Amino acid sequence: MSVLPSSDDVVPFADTAAWRLRWTSRFTEKLMSCPPVGSPSTGHSSGAYAAATTMLNGRPVAVTGGGDNTVRIWDLTTGQQIGQPITGHTDSVWAVATTVLDGRPVAVSGSGGSRDNTVRIWDLTTGQQVGQPLTHDDSLRAVTTAVVNGRPIALTGTFNEPIVRVWDLGTGEQRLEPLTGHTESAWSLATAVIDGRPVAVTGSHDGTVRIWDLTTGQQVGQPLTGHTKGMKTLVTAVVRGRPTAVTSGYDATVRIWDLTTGQQLSESPTHDPDGARLATAMVNDLPVVVSAEFDEPVVRVRDLVTGKQIGESFTGQTRTYAVATAVVNGQPVAVTGAEGGTVRVSALTIGKPTGEPMTRHTGQVNAVAATVVDGHPVAVTGSADETVRVWDLSTGEQVIAPVTGHTGPVTAVATTTVHSRPVAVTGSTDHTVRLWDLATGKQLGAPCTAHTNTIRTIAATATDTGTRPVAVSGSDDRTIRVWDLATGAQVGVPRKSDERWIHALATVSLRGQPIAVTGTWNGAIRLRYLTTNRDTGARLAARIGKPVKKLAVTTGAEGPIAITSCTTWEKAKVWDVTTGQPIGELPISYVNALAAATVGGRPIAVIGRYSSVEVWDLTSFQQIGPTMTFPDEVTAVTAGPTGDIIVCFAQDIAVLTNAARVIGPDGTSNGNVTG
């Protein structure tokens, strides 16, 4: 089991990262969930060619340059553009860096083209140009900044020249003679500190990396050789206390160098012969390099110690031109700029290497429910490995041994209480419904064997209805059956489900009576009294549509609410259960996992689609926070008793804790969940 208690393990999910990854059954070094934070920002009318980050008035911001000749500032917390576009360049802005000049945060931008080969300095507070442009004889392609002897400087490289210029940003004059030594254009630039000396690190189309003393302008040591083609991007970092460079070349490799010894530490291939765009960051105390590739819409994260990729690549943008990193609300993020002018922010969430043995299902997790056992919130999962497992939501430990008894994959799970004991009700491809004591893992009574095909869905009555606990099951045998959990006997006559399979049902209390809400094959819902197994007689909305494949129920301010989804393009529907009338819809389709709950009086839906999870407000019909991505397809979701979100993907389970809730001294929370 991999437990991640650190507050650094933030998943930006809901209002300002209200849910945090608490633990996961997957080896955490294999887990990398890097969801976009908000929607991509648009503003540049042409490609976003350059990006840098800094702090402005206490807020993390990105500064981007574009093919529309402008520099723009973005609030990384809100995704909104700050102020008006900064204008002055008369050609595309290919390079941007940030620093502080006379106590003011500034951006240094470089333009390149037939109309403008200048570097300009901009006051980020006012958007005004500072001083005169720094002029060049060739198209600008690179700018970076440093501080030498207390004075901010800029290094610039151009498209064709094999030299690098060093500028004093206070005076606008060149501080040193141009750095010469490369034999081809040098526009991969970074700075570092080696043995207490500020240095420039430059990469060239001649395939070499060179180091320069920024006090004297002299080259330090011999060129670093290894790339078989020219350099695309170069960045620096400190790894285990040693200055390190990371380079990306047109030979489709990323290489890591020890700048003190000049030795190459690692080499790894990229998928882009044009070279990857690079930025460095610290994630979970691990130094990493983030690479965005031009020809593939993916972003990769590599361990700077080993050079190896961490986890899977995550979705980026088509034709990414620039990447930078920052920290937003304590969460490291990647900022990428792409063709079309879009700027995207993605959270950098990876696991910590633990070396601990995994305790997990050995087959796909098909179903999950949540309850409380001995005062501890737990999740109960059913898997294709034919077991039922009970997980402590606080620690991730399995509280009892895997529960066995089914002779086929477990396909459905529900929880309730029988004789004051927490129990799980499970269904399987073995056609049986079984009842388990969650404190001991023992089966209660004999299996319910009336179904003649796979059980697809199970729901159980809540513990506060004042009636005998029952469960309702739907099967591929086209029947819906109700079970008295105290005796194991069926309630009433099994109802034929319109000669169709049943894949979606839930239970709720309506006017003090426990009812089952089922999805129909014409896209509507149907209500059934569970004490008698008879229809309620509620008038249903006349609607012809696709079969309901997913259904969940919770209670809102006006009564019970249901949400239904088909597996087609149709939008998810929200229903007033009391009237049977639809009251709204969510702009989502193709749902493969669905749950509903009421957290702190707020009815929400938790929705799994493909390998992502979304949370929606069922009152405003608005999404809460950004979409979160998982390494594999999400197979089941639910909400825990204290507002946790439980996500099952492939063989694994992850728990996201609601960090916004208030925990009292007695361990109680204001985030209690109903539904």
Side-chain angles (χ1 to χ4, degrees), residues 41-44 60-62 64 72-76 79-82 343:
S41 301
T42 56
H44 288 292
V61 301
T64 59
R72 298 174 188 253
I73 308 171
W74 309 90
D75 187 319
L76 290 178
Q80 300 300 308
Q81 185 172 314
I82 299 174
V343 177

Side-chain angles (χ1 to χ4, degrees), residues 326-348:
V327 176
V328 180
N329 296 326
Q331 167 71 49
V333 302
V335 182
T336 52
E339 187 177 54
T342 62
V343 177
R344 176 179 291 180
V345 181
S346 298
L348 293 175

Side-chain angles (χ1 to χ4, degrees), residues 12 14 78 145 152 154 161 173 187 261 272 296 309 338 355 390 430-431 435 453 482-483 563-564 588 607 635 663-664:
T78 65
T145 59
E161 296 176 308
E173 302 293 331
W187 44 276
T261 65
D272 189 350
E296 284 195 84
Q309 183 172 324
V390 184
D430 65 10
H431 310 172
L435 186 67
N453 210 324
V482 180
W483 310 91
I563 176 172
T564 61
I588 55 175
I607 297 168
T635 54
I663 306 297

